[in-house]
Amino acid sequence: MDEIEKNPITENNPIAENNPTPESKPIPDCTNCAGCDTGCGNGCGTHKVMGWRREPRGKLYATNWLGDISTGADFPAVQVQFKNTRAGFYLNPAKLSLEIGDIVAVEAANGHDIGQVTMVGPLVRMQMVKAKLDPDNLEELKKVFRKARPSDIERFNEARAKEHSTMIKSRAIAEELGLNMKIGDVEYQGDGGKAIFYYIADERVDFRKLIRILAEEFKVRIEMKQIGARQETGRIGGIGPCGRPLCCSSWMTHFVSVGTGAARMQDLSMNPQKLAGQCAKLKCCLNFEIDAYAEATKQLPQRDVVLQTKDADYFLFKTDILTRTLTYSTDKRMGANLTVIPAKRAFEIIALNKQGIKPDKLAEDAEEAEERREYIDLTDQDALTRFDKAKKKKSKHKQGNQGGQPQKNNPKKEQPEPPKEAPNQDNAGRKTGNQRRHKRKQNNKNSNSQTHDSNDA
C-alpha cells in the first residue's frame, strides 16, 4: 500500500491530530478497503467485492428496532446471510461484538463459510420463531468463528470468480449425459472446498453419475439442490412488465399457488403470454387483488339471470366489476342491441320479474342509456401551444369589448344606456386646452368662409 501523503492542515497542529478530518484518516490495512465510497460505516469495501448490494432486499433484511438499546451480546445467536437468498442462524460462543453488516467466518461442513451479519440482539429470537426454529435450543446451531480477515475474503473472492465458468461447464456435462435438468446457479463455499449446484427439473433425475464427473472436474465436494422456476427467478432477479423489480426477488418470502380462476375472477383475457411471468408460470400478482374482486362480485347479480322486459329478454354480455355496470344483449351468443345499466337497475328489474312485472325498457331513460362520455384528448395537456391558445382567446375577448359589441351572456350590456345629458355652461367651461384650440380653428374657418361669401356677393 502506498504511503499516505501528509496533510498540510493537520501537520504541526495538535488539535487536528487529535481530531483528524475525514481526509486525514488513514486507510485501514485491508486490500479490499481502498476506494470504498459507499458509506457502509465499516471502514471496508468488502461488501462491494463480495457482491452484496448497497440497498438489500426487503425479504432478507428486517429492521432492527432495538438497535439503539441492545447489542449483539444480548442474545447469543446472530443471523448471517450468504449469496442471494441463503441465510442461517449461528451461535456466537466467543461473544464477539458483532454489528449488522459485519463480514464473519462461520462454521460449515469440513471448513468455513463467509457471510454477512443481518440481525443481532433479541430480535434474532423472533426471527428464529418465524423460521420455525427453537430459540431456546441453541446448541444445535453452528458457530461463528471470527470476523473475516483479509486472507479469508481474498480466498472467498477467488472461489466466487469461478462460479460462472463452473455453471457453464456443468450445463454442458449435463447435456452430454442426456439429463432433463437445468443448472441455474452455482455457489462456492467461503473456503472454496464445496460447491452448491441449484437446478430445475420437471421430473425426478438420477444425477449420481453427474456428481462423480463434477467432483473429478472441479476438485470440490458437490451438493445438488432442486429449486422451482419461481425460486430461480427470485435468485436471478429482473424487471417485471409493470416496470418495477420482481416481487419474488424484492419482498416476497413465500410463494402461493396461482390458478386460472384468479384471472377469470378479474375478467382478464386468457392469454398465456400476458398472464405468465418471467418464470413461465402464472404471475403472482394475480392473487394480490383477488379478494377485492371477490368482494365486489358479491354485490352484482348472477351471470345466468335473464332480465325480462316488454321489448325483449336480455342476457348478460359483459361485467365491469369495479364500476358496477353491466352490459346486456338481446342475443345469448353474441352482442346485439347492447345496453349498459348499473347494478342497482339490474336488481330492480330482477325484483319486478319475480313479481311478474315486466318494465317497458331495460334502462330507466333511453337518453341516459345512449349518453356517452365526452371524448377528452389527454395529449393536449402536454402540448407546447396549450398556453398560446388561452392567450388568443383572451385577446379576442378584449377586442370584442373594445369594438363596442355587446356580450350575449352579460346581462349588464343588454340594458339600454341612459341618454346623455346636454353639456352645461359649467361643463363647457371645463374643456381641456386641446378642445379649446380645436374650437378656435373651427371658428376661424367659419369666419373665413363668411368673408369669402360676402365678397362674392
Side-chain angles (χ1 to χ4, degrees):
M1 183 178 294
D2 299 337
E3 295 183 359
I4 302 173
E5 297 180 359
K6 294 183 179 180
N7 192 343
I9 299 176
T10 59
E11 191 175 4
N12 299 325
N13 188 351
I15 298 176
E17 290 177 0
N18 296 331
N19 301 297
T21 58
E23 291 80 3
S24 63
K25 287 184 180 180
I27 299 176
D29 187 14
C30 175
T31 57
N32 299 314
C33 292
C36 178
D37 56 352
T38 56
C40 61
N42 301 324
C44 177
T46 53
H47 64 286
K48 183 194 299 185
V49 179
M50 298 180 68
W52 286 305
R53 294 184 285 184
R54 185 177 180 182
E55 297 180 359
R57 296 177 180 175
K59 68 175 181 177
L60 297 179
Y61 284 70
T63 303
N64 188 8
W65 302 105
L66 304 177
D68 298 336
I69 60 177
S70 66
T71 61
D74 295 341
F75 191 74
V78 296
Q79 185 182 13
V80 181
Q81 178 209 340
F82 302 95
K83 182 182 178 182
N84 290 333
T85 58
R86 189 167 68 94
F89 299 94
Y90 292 85
L91 183 64
N92 185 13
K95 296 182 179 181
L96 302 173
S97 59
L98 300 178
E99 297 179 356
I100 296 177
D102 289 345
I103 311 301
V104 294
V106 299
E107 182 182 0
N110 299 326
H112 70 273
D113 204 351
I114 302 296
Q116 183 181 14
V117 178
T118 56
M119 182 58 65
V120 296
L123 292 182
V124 180
R125 176 186 291 273
M126 300 181 182
Q127 295 293 323
M128 293 182 67
V129 173
K130 184 178 179 181
K132 298 181 180 180
L133 297 176
D134 187 7
D136 298 326
N137 188 10
L138 303 177
E139 297 178 356
E140 299 180 357
L141 298 179
K142 295 181 180 180
K143 302 177 182 179
V144 177
F145 290 148
R146 60 185 179 275
K147 289 186 178 181
R149 301 169 183 170
S151 58
D152 297 333
I153 297 175
E154 183 178 358
R155 188 176 179 183
F156 175 69
N157 291 334
E158 292 176 358
R160 284 205 61 187
K162 300 183 294 184
E163 290 180 353
H164 184 70
S165 60
T166 301
M167 180 184 65
I168 300 301
K169 291 181 181 179
S170 60
R171 286 180 178 179
I173 295 172
E175 186 177 359
E176 292 177 359
L177 296 177
L179 300 178
N180 187 15
M181 60 183 295
K182 174 190 174 183
I183 298 177
D185 194 10
V186 177
E187 180 182 357
Y188 271 90
Q189 196 170 274
D191 56 0
K194 178 183 175 182
I196 304 175
F197 290 80
Y198 297 92
Y199 71 95
I200 302 173
D202 296 333
E203 53 189 22
R204 187 177 181 85
V205 179
D206 185 8
F207 45 76
R208 290 176 293 181
K209 186 177 180 180
L210 176 64
I211 292 177
R212 292 194 298 267
I213 296 175
L214 294 178
E216 294 176 359
E217 179 71 21
F218 304 111
K219 308 299 181 183
V220 293
R221 289 177 288 107
I222 305 299
E223 180 181 353
M224 306 293 294
K225 277 191 176 182
Q226 184 176 3
I227 58 176
R230 287 190 170 94
Q231 285 80 359
E232 182 194 21
T233 306
R235 292 178 62 86
I236 297 174
I239 303 297
C242 59
R244 298 179 59 86
L246 298 178
C247 299
C248 55
S249 65
S250 58
W251 62 270
M252 288 186 68
T253 56
H254 61 282
F255 299 96
V256 182
S257 61
V258 184
T260 56
R264 294 191 181 95
M265 178 70 70
Q266 303 176 44
D267 285 338
L268 299 177
S269 61
M270 303 305 293
N271 188 350
Q273 295 180 355
K274 293 184 178 180
L275 297 180
Q278 295 187 8
C279 57
K281 304 292 183 180
L282 292 177
K283 294 179 182 178
C284 298
C285 57
L286 292 176
N287 286 340
F288 294 169
E289 299 179 357
I290 188 65
D291 295 335
Y293 276 89
E295 186 68 22
T297 305
K298 295 179 181 178
Q299 303 176 3
L300 299 176
Q302 298 181 358
R303 295 178 176 271
D304 56 350
V305 175
V306 181
L307 303 184
Q308 298 178 355
T309 62
K310 295 181 179 179
D311 296 339
D313 294 343
Y314 288 87
F315 304 90
L316 182 63
F317 181 76
K318 182 182 177 182
T319 304
D320 194 340
I321 300 176
L322 299 181
T323 59
R324 298 190 63 191
T325 56
L326 308 171
T327 304
Y328 283 89
S329 171
T330 55
D331 194 336
K332 189 175 183 180
R333 299 181 180 180
M334 59 180 295
N337 301 324
L338 298 178
T339 306
V340 181
I341 60 173
K344 182 179 179 180
R345 176 61 178 172
F347 282 115
E348 293 177 358
I349 297 176
I350 292 173
L352 293 175
N353 293 154
K354 289 181 179 180
Q355 298 175 5
I357 302 173
K358 294 183 179 182
D360 297 336
K361 296 180 181 180
L362 187 64
E364 294 180 351
D365 190 357
E367 295 180 357
E368 295 181 0
E370 296 176 359
E371 189 179 282
R372 297 187 179 183
R373 293 184 178 180
E374 183 181 357
Y375 174 75
I376 300 175
D377 190 3
L378 298 178
T379 58
D380 290 343
Q381 298 178 1
D382 299 331
L384 297 177
T385 58
R386 60 185 184 276
F387 299 112
D388 299 341
K389 295 180 180 179
K391 289 181 180 179
K392 289 180 180 179
K393 290 180 180 179
K394 289 182 180 179
S395 62
K396 291 179 180 179
H397 180 68
K398 291 180 179 179
Q399 291 175 2
N401 293 337
Q402 292 176 1
Q405 297 178 0
Q407 295 181 357
K408 296 182 180 180
N409 297 329
N410 194 349
K412 296 181 180 180
K413 293 294 182 179
E414 295 178 359
Q415 297 178 0
E417 296 182 357
K420 295 182 180 180
E421 296 180 357
N424 299 329
Q425 294 180 356
D426 297 336
N427 295 333
R430 296 175 184 174
K431 293 181 179 180
T432 60
N434 293 332
Q435 293 176 346
R436 287 195 294 268
R437 285 192 293 270
H438 182 68
K439 188 175 182 180
R440 289 196 200 100
K441 292 180 180 179
Q442 292 292 338
N443 294 334
N444 293 334
K445 290 181 180 180
N446 294 333
S447 60
N448 293 334
S449 61
Q450 290 176 3
T451 54
H452 288 299
D453 294 338
S454 60
N455 292 333
D456 294 337

